Amino acid sequence: MLHFYYGVMGSSKTAQLLMQRYNLQQLGLKVAVLKPAIDTRAEHDIVYSRVGLQAKAEIVLQPDHSIKEQLNWLAIQRAHNDFQFVLVDEAQFLSAEQVQELADLSLDLEIYCYGLRTDFRGQFFPGSAALFRLAEDIQEVPGGLCWCGKKATMNTRVDPEGNVIREGEQVLIDNQQDIRYMGLCYRHHREGKSHA
Ligand SMILES: [Zn+2]
């Protein structure tokens, strides 16, 4: 089955992925962790959570990679082909074609994708749009809060002074540019208020 666990920036998506991986491994189940190459928050093959958990991704996906080929390659490297679980971090950065591959692979595998629903303009990422179309199980990862204490639903790009940015490229990675991201409630996203 293909699962999509979506959440706003600041919800604990990656921490949840890493705990799921740990729990599966404790049971002796075979897990592969994938991440798209675009996430450069940490070393490029490290899946990293703000709360301090981290793990090495088995596969770093380029946009033109076939996930099926990559998993086959991994199975050969590991001398087994019995992955039961595939966990994907930052799944919003998958291409629609890659999500289609995951949907086909999910006939034989349990595949959990963790990612953002929308970008800083409130538009779908290609990977998220495809996951909403194709995932059989869609759940929200709770926990993201606006500064006002309400549930955060909108990913917001802000400049160093805290001004809300509404235009620009869909993907700009924080820490590399002069921007950062925060989750706001819809009211404060709409009003452009990133602090009290
Ligand atoms: Zn708010």
Side-chain angles (χ1 to χ4, degrees):
M1 185 182 276
L2 179 60
H3 309 257
F4 183 33
Y5 286 8
Y6 70 91
V8 74
M9 292 265 184
S11 60
S12 48
K13 297 183 295 300
T14 301
Q16 187 169 325
L17 178 152
L18 292 170
M19 287 188 287
Q20 185 181 19
R21 172 178 176 271
Y22 177 81
N23 290 335
L24 292 167
Q25 287 177 334
Q26 289 297 103
L27 296 170
L29 298 165
K30 300 275 190 335
V31 186
V33 172
L34 279 57
K35 65 179 277 192
I38 200 155
D39 173 32
T40 56
R41 269 185 304 176
E43 307 252 343
H44 87 275
D45 62 346
I46 301 294
V47 173
Y48 168 82
S49 159
R50 287 168 307 112
V51 299
L53 301 171
Q54 64 178 53
K56 196 166 176 295
E58 273 77 20
I59 296 172
V60 176
L61 288 167
Q62 299 298 331
D64 60 346
H65 270 164
S66 156
I67 294 178
K68 193 164 196 293
E69 285 174 14
Q70 293 291 313
L71 285 174
N72 284 340
W73 170 84
L74 181 64
I76 292 165
Q77 297 288 309
R78 298 290 170 86
H80 65 69
N81 57 3
D82 55 348
F83 289 111
Q84 292 131 302
F85 291 85
V86 173
L87 311 183
V88 185
D89 194 34
E90 304 287 359
Q92 72 273 8
F93 294 137
L94 295 170
S95 70
E97 292 75 19
Q98 287 171 333
V99 174
Q100 182 65 58
E101 277 194 290
L102 288 176
D104 294 342
L105 289 163
S106 77
L107 298 173
D108 301 310
L109 290 170
E110 286 298 315
I111 301 177
Y112 289 83
C113 293
Y114 291 81
L116 299 173
R117 179 170 59 165
T118 52
D119 68 13
F120 73 106
R121 301 162 303 182
Q123 304 289 331
F124 277 132
F125 287 94
S128 320
L131 283 161
F132 272 105
R133 285 193 290 108
L134 294 170
E136 290 186 277
D137 169 39
I138 297 175
Q139 297 189 40
E140 184 172 27
V141 179
L145 288 177
C146 182
W147 56 265
C148 70
K150 291 212 176 94
K151 174 179 164 176
T153 54
M154 306 300 290
N155 295 305
T156 310
R157 181 181 289 175
V158 297
D159 70 14
E161 286 75 50
N163 298 307
V164 172
I165 302 169
R166 297 193 184 280
E167 286 177 14
E169 307 252 328
Q170 182 174 51
V171 180
L172 283 180
I173 305 295
D174 46 351
N175 299 331
Q176 293 189 331
Q177 317 278 339
D178 230 6
I179 53 151
R180 61 197 168 90
Y181 290 99
M182 56 198 306
L184 296 180
C185 68
Y186 182 70
R187 173 187 298 282
H188 288 131
H189 177 82
R190 180 139 168 74
E191 292 174 353
K193 285 192 73 173
S194 69
H195 47 80

